[in-house]
Amino acid sequence: MKETHTPQVPAARRQLLPRLRLKRAQKPAAPRPTKNIIAVLREWHSRAGLVGFAFLIWLACTGVLLTRSNELGLDTARVDWPWLMRMYGLHAEPPQAGFRAGEHWVASTNDYTLLDGRPLATQIAAPLGVVAGGTPQMPIVYVAGPASVVLLSPSGERIDELTPPILPIGTVRRIGTLKRDPHVIAVQDLDAYQSADEGNSWTPVAPGDVDWAQSTALSEAEQQQTLPYAKPRIIVEQLLIDLHSGRLFGPVGAWLITIIGFVAVALAISGIWMWWRIRKNRRRLTAR
């Protein structure tokens, strides 16, 4: 068998080995390459772009919808989502007062006109009073608004609407019935007129001869009947405006949109500057 022979290291060399290892260990590391300003800007530009992307899409979408709100019907459409009403701090507020005529009463909310607690098919803007007329065979409820008098059945179905020139006045200020004959209705602007044939013909009457409809307080039970129709609603166009400006979320939202606007300006400026620097460097390399 052959014997393995291990080479012997001279003693002097053995003494130098630890020193060489120590020098190698103490050798300074190579300096890291420094990033130039374009690289730093490009990195932060991409980060800021990702953060602001969603907000810019949000602003763009709400802006487009606002410019087309009339065509899309968003200026009249309303929403009554409970969570949205809580954000606006709105809650249902039933009307406290209305008008009475015999067994009937009329109240108004923001979106409905209610006859005996039931909503009418068509809202009557700002009711001024209600009176009961007609005949026992065909009872009629007259509801006056600023520009017309609406004739309703006791169940709330619309029979007719009296407007000028059928009405002898241009604006209705109040409505009532004659004291001597409650089946004769009367209306007044500056002058008062009466009609005994359901508004087909009118003659002057002294205002003192008329019992004019007066606003009266609603009972608690009647207010509870109106409560389902007193829920607040927001016009979609207004909601889009508040989303676009950030005001839906209070002062924090408005400031957030402001900051996003500054970020967008900064991204545009830094993007143009980086493009100019890169283009300039490429021209310099081409010239060489």
Side-chain angles (χ1 to χ4, degrees):
M1 284 183 66
K2 294 183 179 180
E3 296 180 0
T4 57
H5 178 70
T6 302
Q8 298 293 327
V9 180
R13 189 174 179 182
R14 286 200 302 269
Q15 294 177 356
L16 290 174
L17 285 175
R19 297 179 182 178
L20 292 173
R21 291 172 183 166
L22 183 60
K23 288 182 178 181
R24 290 176 182 175
Q26 293 177 350
K27 185 178 179 181
R32 294 182 180 179
T34 58
K35 294 183 180 180
N36 58 32
I37 189 170
I38 294 181
V40 174
L41 275 178
R42 185 178 297 172
E43 181 179 352
W44 283 102
H45 193 274
S46 60
R47 292 179 181 178
L50 289 174
V51 173
F53 176 75
F55 291 96
L56 293 177
I57 292 295
W58 170 14
L59 293 175
C61 291
T62 53
V64 170
L65 291 174
L66 281 172
T67 58
R68 295 287 178 243
S69 63
N70 292 336
E71 291 87 342
L72 298 175
L74 303 180
D75 56 337
T76 56
R78 297 170 180 264
V79 293
D80 58 355
W81 303 322
W83 61 268
L84 183 62
M85 298 303 102
R86 287 194 295 270
M87 293 187 69
Y88 275 100
L90 301 176
H91 57 277
E93 294 184 359
Q96 303 297 312
F99 297 92
R100 299 184 186 277
E103 298 177 353
H104 303 288
W105 57 275
V106 170
S108 180
T109 65
N110 289 334
D111 302 307
Y112 298 97
T113 302
L114 307 172
L115 175 63
D116 301 331
R118 298 185 301 270
L120 300 179
T122 303
Q123 183 182 15
I124 300 175
L128 300 172
V130 59
V131 296
T135 63
Q137 295 75 22
M138 187 180 176
I140 297 176
V141 179
Y142 298 84
V143 182
S148 67
V149 175
V150 180
L151 283 64
L152 303 171
S153 69
S155 61
E157 297 179 0
R158 179 172 292 213
I159 299 173
D160 198 0
E161 183 174 6
L162 306 178
T163 57
I166 296 177
L167 277 179
I169 53 179
T171 302
V172 180
R173 187 156 59 93
R174 55 183 179 173
I175 188 172
T177 57
L178 287 187
K179 294 179 180 179
R180 65 176 182 273
D181 188 353
H183 295 95
V184 178
I185 66 170
V187 294
Q188 182 182 6
D189 182 7
L190 296 177
D191 300 317
Y193 296 85
Q194 63 178 352
S195 175
D197 54 2
E198 301 175 3
N200 292 316
S201 60
W202 299 85
T203 57
V205 65
D209 295 337
V210 180
D211 281 329
W212 299 107
Q214 301 290 331
S215 175
T216 60
L218 298 179
S219 67
E220 186 174 349
E222 291 169 341
Q223 292 183 31
Q224 289 299 319
Q225 283 184 271
T226 67
L227 193 59
Y229 308 101
K231 294 179 179 179
R233 297 197 295 174
I234 298 295
I235 298 176
V236 176
E237 185 179 55
Q238 183 61 51
L239 175 60
L240 290 173
I241 293 173
D242 294 336
L243 281 171
H244 191 76
S245 63
R247 291 189 175 90
L248 179 62
F249 307 101
V252 175
W255 274 109
L256 181 60
I257 296 299
T258 303
I259 293 172
I260 293 299
F262 283 118
V263 169
V265 172
L267 288 174
I269 295 174
S270 60
I272 294 173
W273 187 83
M274 285 190 297
W275 169 82
W276 177 77
R277 285 295 300 269
I278 293 172
R279 186 166 177 267
K280 182 179 179 181
N281 292 339
R282 285 178 180 174
R283 284 184 176 181
R284 187 182 300 170
L285 292 175
T286 304
R288 292 180 182 178

